[in-house]
Amino acid sequence: MTRTYGPVLAGGFWLTAALVAAALVATVEYRRGSTELTRLESQAETRLAEKLAQHDAHLTALAAVVRMEPADPSESVQGLATAVTAFYPRIIGITTIRGDGKQPVTYQYGQTPGPAFDPSDELPVLETPGSTAFRSDPAGARYAIYKLVAPGVMIRMDIDADGLVADDTFPTGYSYRLWLADALLIEQPANGPALVTATRSTAVTSPSQPMRIEVARGFSVAELLPARVILPVLLLLGIATWLGLVFVRSVQARRREELRATLFEQEARLAHAGRVNALGEMASGIAHELAQPVAALLTQSQAARRALTIKRPDILERALDANVREARRAGDILDRMRAYIAGETPRLEPVPLDRALSDALRLAEADLARRGIEVSEDIAGECAVRIDVIAFQQVIHNILLNAADALTGRSSPRISIRAICDDHRAIITVADNGPGISSDVLPRVFEPFFTTKRNGMGLGLPLCARLIEKMDGSLEAGNAGGAVFTIRLPCEGLR
Ligand code: ADP
């Protein structure tokens, strides 16, 4: 599982971590950019306020001079206006306006004296000398400040708003807008699209020119995620993820190793417990199996004695040969029992399927017969299965005794053993006509210690499954009328 999903999980982790890291980097960059925006905006606001204050100071000075020389053109006013417009190029016109609002007489001072503006402009109504008013040019970028010098005498100062914010005030990526009251004087757009934009807006303190400046900074993807920061971060994350994956894998491998060791240990104990448990059950089968060679030994020994009396060495020889055969068979049975109980490592050997089954069946035959169970055997095809004979017998014995238990008290109890084989695989089914295995029991029958019997241990089937697996086969439980157990084993054809 780890091997299949590990890289995918690690990829997912890396992607998530990369997204989080990117979000963090973007947040830091955004905050840094926003702090810089605040600094530049406040600097621009201070400079702007200074410039607006200069306009007020010039108007005050001009008003004083106009008051001293009340007739136009005035040399003193011209001198001051020329100096002011020369030093402050954004002040593009200084005009005196005399008379009432209907028939004003204007005179423009400064570097280009003459009429300054369209006299049809509606003049502001100012009552107290020294008071001011402003008018912005609807065409944008310009505005005028009016100051009442004395009753019927006003000064107008025209300002080019473009000169209020120096070109180098804001670096690339910034945009700003400048308002005079509600009129937009300047709009300097950003150059290029932005992913997110931060904005600051401040009112500039000037009683004669109530301005507001709004500065915005757009952040492009490259600015929020600068390659010099994000690439090393992603690389470090990649290395950390890889190291994490290696670590997790080594921990998992160690755990698997420990688990396997524990399982082996448990399995060995389980197998032994199963054998000891089955030993009692098999005792009658063993006695039955041994009874045959022992009876044959008795018969042949009696025959040998008679042959001696009647002096028939040929009969004597045959009887003794038979005795040797039967004694060997009994010895084999006892050897297998000893090996089985001692838990010796399985020895897989090719055994003809029919012999394997009938040998296994023989162990339970007596018990089944005693319980009145009819057993049928149907083997199609000839092949040799590679089995550990003892283990295979134990499996069949266990399945048969389970069936016998299930058949207790049933009428016409029957067990049918069927086997088919081809050149590769043998399929053996042991079916009974008992109640079958209920749907809640069926998924659990191979669980160690699961039993529905009062005196059951729940070790038989898990052990059988394990033994068959060791022979490269499989064991399944199901229902077909009663219960049916299916064993699949590799096999080879008989030559
Ligand atoms: P035990 O025989 O000690 O209960 P097993 O592992 O051999 O342990 O069997 C587990 C359970 O499987 C049994 O308790 C029984 O419920 C169910 N089982 C096994 N064989 C049959 C069968 N032929 N018919 C019905 N149930 C069966």
Side-chain angles (χ1 to χ4, degrees):
M1 188 178 143
T2 325
R3 209 159 290 148
T4 321
Y5 294 118
V8 178
L9 286 178
F13 170 78
W14 180 85
L15 195 65
T16 313
L19 287 176
V20 171
L24 282 175
V25 169
T27 308
V28 170
E29 291 299 322
Y30 180 81
R31 292 190 68 164
R32 205 169 39 200
S34 300
T35 310
E36 179 65 0
L37 167 69
T38 308
R39 189 185 70 76
L40 287 177
E41 193 256 1
S42 127
Q43 187 177 301
E45 188 266 327
T46 310
R47 286 192 190 150
L48 190 58
E50 278 167 13
K51 288 179 180 171
L52 301 188
Q54 283 166 359
H55 301 159
D56 287 332
H58 295 321
L59 275 172
T60 308
L62 282 164
V65 179
V66 167
R67 224 178 284 118
M68 282 189 303
E69 281 187 31
D72 290 321
S74 151
E75 252 180 59
S76 307
V77 176
Q78 171 64 14
L80 182 54
T82 309
V84 166
T85 50
F87 276 110
Y88 302 95
R90 67 177 183 277
I91 301 176
I92 48 174
I94 293 168
T95 311
T96 54
I97 305 164
R98 295 174 193 276
D100 58 18
K102 281 167 211 141
Q103 291 292 317
V105 180
T106 67
Y107 192 86
Q108 170 143 0
Y109 288 93
Q111 286 176 315
T112 50
F117 66 105
D118 184 353
S120 65
D121 278 0
E122 197 193 320
L123 288 177
V125 180
L126 295 171
E127 285 176 0
T128 330
S131 59
T132 60
F134 59 85
R135 290 277 185 279
S136 54
D137 185 342
R142 291 168 59 146
Y143 69 99
I145 318 168
Y146 295 84
K147 187 175 180 99
L148 188 66
V149 179
V153 183
M154 267 198 286
I155 306 174
R156 164 175 160 148
M157 184 183 271
D158 282 84
I159 314 282
D160 176 5
D162 272 335
L164 289 175
V165 181
D167 287 347
D168 60 355
T169 308
F170 300 111
T172 355
Y174 281 71
S175 60
Y176 69 89
R177 287 194 281 186
L178 190 64
W179 278 274
L180 178 62
D182 293 333
L184 182 62
L185 284 179
I186 306 175
E187 176 159 28
Q188 178 69 51
N191 51 353
L195 188 66
V196 279
T197 305
T199 308
R200 300 281 180 279
S201 169
T202 321
V204 186
T205 26
S206 162
S208 61
Q209 304 139 81
M211 287 202 186
R212 189 161 58 84
I213 184 165
E214 183 189 279
V215 185
R217 176 175 176 189
F219 294 85
S220 66
V221 177
E223 282 169 323
L224 287 175
L225 301 172
R228 72 192 146 72
V229 179
I230 199 72
L231 289 184
V233 167
L234 294 186
L235 192 69
L236 279 177
L237 275 177
I239 293 172
T241 309
W242 181 73
L243 287 176
L245 185 65
V246 169
F247 176 72
V248 167
R249 277 197 172 165
S250 75
V251 168
Q252 283 175 337
R254 206 175 53 231
R255 283 220 190 110
R256 267 202 305 276
E257 225 23 77
E258 285 168 6
L259 196 66
R260 195 171 302 150
T262 319
L263 281 180
F264 271 150
E265 201 180 303
Q266 283 174 353
E267 205 174 80
R269 268 198 251 138
L270 184 66
H272 194 252
R275 278 195 300 274
V276 173
N277 180 46
L279 189 61
E281 292 173 10
M282 288 173 78
S284 58
I286 296 160
H288 173 72
E289 207 178 350
L290 279 179
Q292 281 183 342
V294 169
L297 276 172
L298 181 65
T299 320
Q300 294 301 334
S301 300
Q302 286 165 344
R305 176 174 281 183
R306 258 199 320 279
L308 207 58
T309 320
I310 60 171
K311 297 205 178 12
R312 286 283 303 273
D314 55 329
I315 297 178
L316 179 64
E317 194 178 357
R318 267 207 310 277
L320 289 176
D321 281 349
N323 271 0
V324 169
R325 252 195 336 270
E326 293 304 330
R328 279 209 182 115
R329 195 172 139 206
D332 278 353
I333 292 169
L334 292 173
D335 265 357
R336 271 173 11 211
M337 282 306 302
R338 190 192 48 74
Y340 169 65
I341 293 160
E344 283 177 9
T345 40
R347 267 179 297 118
L348 297 188
E349 51 185 301
V351 181
L353 178 61
D354 52 352
R355 204 180 82 206
L357 275 175
S358 48
D359 281 358
L361 185 56
R362 202 176 309 138
L363 288 173
E365 236 164 27
D367 200 6
L368 298 176
R370 191 169 40 77
R371 300 197 200 190
I373 299 169
E374 185 193 316
V375 180
S376 67
E377 212 180 334
D378 177 10
I379 300 170
E382 286 190 352
C383 65
V385 279
R386 284 188 59 78
I387 52 168
D388 173 352
V389 175
I390 302 295
F392 182 76
Q393 288 175 352
Q394 186 181 350
V395 171
I396 297 293
H397 185 259
N398 193 84
I399 293 173
L400 289 174
L401 290 192
N402 272 346
D405 286 347
L407 291 169
T408 310
R410 312 273 301 185
S411 63
S412 318
R414 209 171 47 247
I415 297 176
S416 56
I417 303 169
R418 281 171 210 280
I420 49 166
C421 60
D422 55 21
D423 280 353
H424 308 289
R425 185 154 288 268
I427 302 175
I428 303 159
T429 55
V430 181
D432 60 57
N433 63 345
I437 308 172
S438 65
S439 57
D440 51 332
V441 168
L442 189 59
R444 305 191 57 194
V445 290
F446 293 109
E447 259 175 43
F449 303 107
F450 173 80
T451 181
T452 56
K453 299 176 193 168
R454 198 139 49 88
N455 299 319
M457 285 184 71
L459 290 175
L461 287 179
L463 181 65
C464 289
R466 209 46 212 130
L467 292 175
I468 291 291
E469 271 167 30
K470 280 189 175 164
M471 297 177 225
D472 295 328
S474 66
L475 172 63
E476 278 166 33
N479 287 304
V484 54
F485 286 85
T486 307
I487 300 172
R488 284 168 221 273
L489 282 171
C491 73
E492 49 205 55
L494 287 179
R495 262 156 275 163

